[in-house]
Amino acid sequence: MRRPIIAGNWKLNNNAKQALELVTLLKRELSDVSKVDIVVCPVFTVLMEVSDCLIESNIDVGAQDLYWEDSGAFTGEVSAPLIKDTGAKYVIIGHSERRQFFGETNETVNKKIKAALKHGLIPIVCIGEILAEREAGETFNVIKAQCQGSFAGLSSEQMLKLVIAYEPVWAIGTGKTATPEQAQEVHKYIRELLANMFDGETSQELRIQYGGSVKPDNIKDLMAQEDIDGALVGGASLKSDSFVKLVKYYEQ
Ligand code: PEP
């Protein structure tokens, strides 16, 4: 049985005061949750405060990106050991906003995954097609290229230490969610691909989240799909009431 995982990607939001207010509420409201892994991903500057606040809670912390070198002359970058040092356990890699605005490629995603794994961070690796690719019937080809590039050189054992987030880019922050059937079709395809690239056991055990305008009113039908193991949530993770409702879907 794959354990579901709900992660909140706060993006470029929440200063220290706002972040601490939010996690204080989440900690209280979600303390009895046991059936789902919960992660919040704040900006780098508050990772340590948020991690400290969540010590001994059932909520883990993740960063939103990392650089693959450990240290050196790389002004402005943050490495896996530094993220680990804050108490964070996860790191989002290859988010579509990083691909779109900051030149992230499958090759850089691959280097970042290897750096994260080397230092014991759990990568949440984002893949997904843009609208033009979907409309051109290219979705599966895009997903295949992203998986082959991003996971090149990894072993089955390493794959089982990461989480994949399938996020159709046209559904991120747009209010347009993929239908449960559209999402399931791609999740199933990803599992088939992983079975070919690695093995059947790895493809069945690995967790694949869906991301793209997940809200309390659509989570039920999406998460009911056989190959969907939780959600990567942007907008709805910024308010405690909506994030709590999303997590509590799994506790019913
Ligand atoms: C995201 O940022 O990964 C995301 C899925 O955002 P939203 O839920 O706002 O679409």
Side-chain angles (χ1 to χ4, degrees):
M1 261 307 261
R2 297 183 298 265
R3 184 173 161 85
I5 168 167
I6 303 256
N9 173 17
W10 292 359
K11 313 193 187 198
L12 184 48
N13 295 293
N14 287 337
N15 61 24
K17 183 169 176 285
Q18 294 161 329
L20 289 178
E21 274 168 15
L22 179 52
V23 288
T24 303
L25 287 171
L26 295 179
K27 197 163 122 171
R28 194 179 67 207
E29 296 291 323
L30 298 175
S31 62
D32 55 347
V33 167
S34 62
K35 296 184 185 154
V36 52
D37 288 343
I38 314 165
V39 186
V40 291
C41 302
V43 295
F44 284 129
T45 50
V46 300
L47 273 180
M48 193 171 272
E49 275 122 313
V50 168
S51 295
D52 286 350
C53 178
L54 293 173
I55 280 174
E56 288 177 13
S57 79
N58 55 348
I59 306 175
D60 288 314
V61 179
Q64 298 175 16
D65 186 31
L66 86 170
Y67 187 59
W68 55 82
E69 295 290 349
D70 288 358
S71 62
F74 304 104
T75 303
E77 294 298 325
V78 179
S79 65
L82 296 185
I83 292 171
K84 191 84 183 155
D85 193 44
T86 67
K89 189 169 157 190
Y90 290 80
V91 58
I92 298 173
I93 298 178
H95 191 278
S96 66
E97 286 150 18
R98 297 221 58 87
R99 293 177 188 262
Q100 197 181 342
F101 305 127
F102 303 102
E104 191 85 274
T105 64
N106 296 330
E107 289 69 35
T108 58
V109 167
N110 181 252
K111 289 182 180 182
K112 290 180 179 188
I113 294 172
K114 287 174 179 162
L117 291 173
K118 181 175 149 202
H119 292 283
L121 288 169
I122 302 173
I124 298 178
V125 184
C126 303
I127 54 175
E129 80 287 0
I130 62 171
L131 186 59
E133 291 163 341
R134 175 161 282 264
E135 287 178 347
E138 287 296 315
T139 299
F140 287 172
N141 288 338
V142 171
I143 296 293
K144 187 174 183 181
Q146 288 176 335
C147 286
Q148 287 178 339
S150 305
F151 305 136
L154 297 181
S155 65
S156 299
E157 202 188 352
Q158 286 176 309
M159 286 302 289
L160 288 174
K161 293 194 173 129
L162 60 80
V163 176
I164 295 177
Y166 166 59
E167 301 203 297
V169 180
W170 47 273
I172 297 180
T174 58
K176 267 193 233 163
T177 321
T179 64
E181 294 73 26
Q182 283 174 320
Q184 167 60 21
E185 185 187 35
V186 180
H187 280 237
K188 185 164 177 272
Y189 174 73
I190 296 168
R191 278 197 211 285
E192 285 163 9
L193 200 57
L194 296 175
N196 285 328
M197 288 174 65
F198 298 93
D199 54 77
E201 204 178 316
T202 305
S203 106
Q204 282 310 309
E205 278 183 35
L206 201 148
R207 296 184 293 181
I208 310 176
Q209 298 174 300
Y210 168 78
S213 298
V214 175
K215 304 272 181 300
D217 62 2
N218 60 26
I219 188 158
K220 183 167 173 275
D221 292 341
L222 285 162
M223 299 305 122
Q225 301 301 310
E226 192 181 334
D227 289 299
I228 300 185
D229 309 314
L232 180 57
V233 184
S237 70
L238 292 173
K239 293 262 176 300
S240 64
D241 56 348
S242 47
F243 194 64
V244 165
K245 279 188 192 143
L246 293 177
V247 171
K248 290 216 164 164
Y249 158 76
Y250 279 105
E251 292 296 302
Q252 299 154 16

